[in-house]
Amino acid sequence: MTTQDSTIAVAGATGRLGRHIVDVLTESGHKVVAMSRSTGVDVVTGAGLAEAFHGVTAVIDASSTPSFEQQAATDFFTASARNLHAAAQAAGVRRIVAVSIIGIDGSTAGYNAAKLVHEQALLAGPVPTRILRAAQFHELVEQMMHWGAKGSVIYIPKMRTQLVSARAVAEQLAEFATGAWSARQGGPFPEIAGPRAEYLAEMARLVTARRGDDRSIEEVSDPANPDRDLYESGALLPGPDAVLSGPSFADWLDQQARSHH
C-alpha cells in the first residue's frame, strides 16, 4: 500500500491518541477519515460507519470507552469490534489496526480485562487485524493525580510502567496501517513502550516539583484491586522484543512546558 492509494479511517479521532494518529497520517500525505461521535460516527451503534468507510483501505481503532467500569467497557468494546469488522468487510477495507495495553494477559478486573475481551473480539473478525500493545501514556500521570487528589495529599497507586508518548504510539499504528505487514515481530502482539521503567508515584513527584505544587504524593497499594500484583510486580513492563521510543517522561514534561510558553 503506497501513500497514493491509502485512505485511512481513524476511530476515536478526537481522543488523546486519535488526535496524534490523525496528525501523523496527515503529515505523511495520507487521506484521513476522522471518525468520532462529533462527526456523526458511533462505533457502538454502528451509525455512520458504512458512509465513513467508503473508499477506505485501512482502519485504525483508537476509540475508547467513556467508562472504566468493567462491564460497561466490555459492552463498548465488543459492540465496536463487531461493528467495525462488519462495516469494514462490506466496504472492502483491507486491514484493521488497533491499540491495546502491555501486560494485560493476567487481568481479571476493570478496564484491562475489558481490553482483553476487545483483543479477542477484534482478532476473531473477518478483516485481517493487527494489535499493538502499548505501555501507559505520559498523560496517565496527571490523570491519576487528578483522581487521587485529597486535600494536601495526592494518592497514587503503586505501579511500575514504562511510560510512552502518545505520539510515538500513533507513529507505530500509522506504520502498521500503511506499511507492509512484516513478519510478526514479537509474536501476535507487538509492543511499544518508553525508554525506561518508572514508578508512577515518582513521576507524579516530578510533576509537583516542576510546578511548585506543595501537595505531597503518597504511593498506595490497593488490596481491593484483584490486579494489584500485576501493577506492582512489573507485569506491565514490555517484553524483550518491544519497540522502545522516547522521550522519557521527564523530557516529555520539558517539551510540554516549552510548547505552553
Side-chain angles (χ1 to χ4, degrees):
M1 280 163 69
T2 61
T3 303
Q4 285 66 43
D5 71 352
S6 59
T7 299
I8 316 295
V10 180
T14 54
R16 178 172 294 159
L17 175 60
R19 289 194 302 270
H20 287 285
I21 297 169
V22 171
D23 287 348
V24 168
L25 289 167
T26 306
E27 286 162 22
S28 53
H30 297 286
K31 293 200 287 291
V32 179
V33 179
M35 304 188 303
S36 64
R37 283 191 294 276
S38 59
T39 63
V41 182
D42 189 324
V43 293
V44 173
T45 64
L49 278 177
E51 298 78 12
F53 283 176
H54 186 70
V56 164
T57 41
V59 175
I60 300 178
D61 181 12
S63 60
S64 187
T65 157
S67 169
F68 282 87
E69 192 271 314
Q70 185 175 352
Q71 191 57 53
T74 302
D75 292 345
F76 174 95
F77 287 132
T78 44
S80 72
R82 186 175 61 240
N83 291 332
L84 286 175
H85 268 286
Q89 186 181 33
V93 171
R94 295 181 215 169
R95 60 177 74 166
I96 294 173
V97 175
V99 66
S100 188
I101 306 163
I102 288 174
I104 59 173
D105 291 303
S107 294
T108 57
Y111 184 79
N112 286 7
K115 281 301 285 186
L116 266 184
V117 175
H118 188 211
E119 290 182 347
Q120 290 151 10
L122 281 169
L123 292 172
V127 179
T129 300
R130 188 124 193 231
I131 294 170
L132 175 68
R133 284 185 173 180
Q136 286 66 32
F137 297 157
H138 291 318
E139 287 90 347
L140 177 73
V141 178
E142 293 203 43
Q143 193 175 12
M144 297 302 264
M145 290 173 70
H146 178 68
W147 286 342
K150 303 267 190 301
S152 63
V153 180
I154 303 173
Y155 296 96
I156 299 287
K158 186 175 182 187
M159 183 195 274
R160 281 191 80 202
T161 171
Q162 204 146 315
L163 295 164
V164 69
S165 81
R167 169 83 189 197
V169 176
E171 287 167 355
Q172 186 69 63
L173 289 166
E175 193 177 306
F176 283 168
T178 60
W181 288 51
S182 58
R184 300 244 175 220
Q185 67 55 228
F189 296 110
E191 296 180 343
I192 186 168
R196 57 173 183 257
E198 312 278 14
Y199 277 101
L200 210 56
E202 287 302 316
M203 298 306 97
R205 288 187 188 108
L206 274 184
V207 174
T208 53
R210 295 279 167 105
R211 302 210 170 135
D213 182 335
D214 55 9
R215 290 177 295 175
S216 64
I217 303 291
E218 196 150 318
E219 188 176 66
V220 288
S221 185
D222 177 9
N225 179 359
D227 288 346
R228 173 179 69 166
D229 288 350
L230 292 179
Y231 289 1
E232 298 184 4
S233 69
L236 300 181
L237 299 179
D241 295 323
V243 170
L244 302 186
S245 183
S248 68
F249 183 72
D251 289 343
W252 179 80
L253 273 185
D254 288 342
Q255 290 171 8
Q256 297 292 303
R258 283 197 297 275
S259 66
H260 289 149
H261 285 319

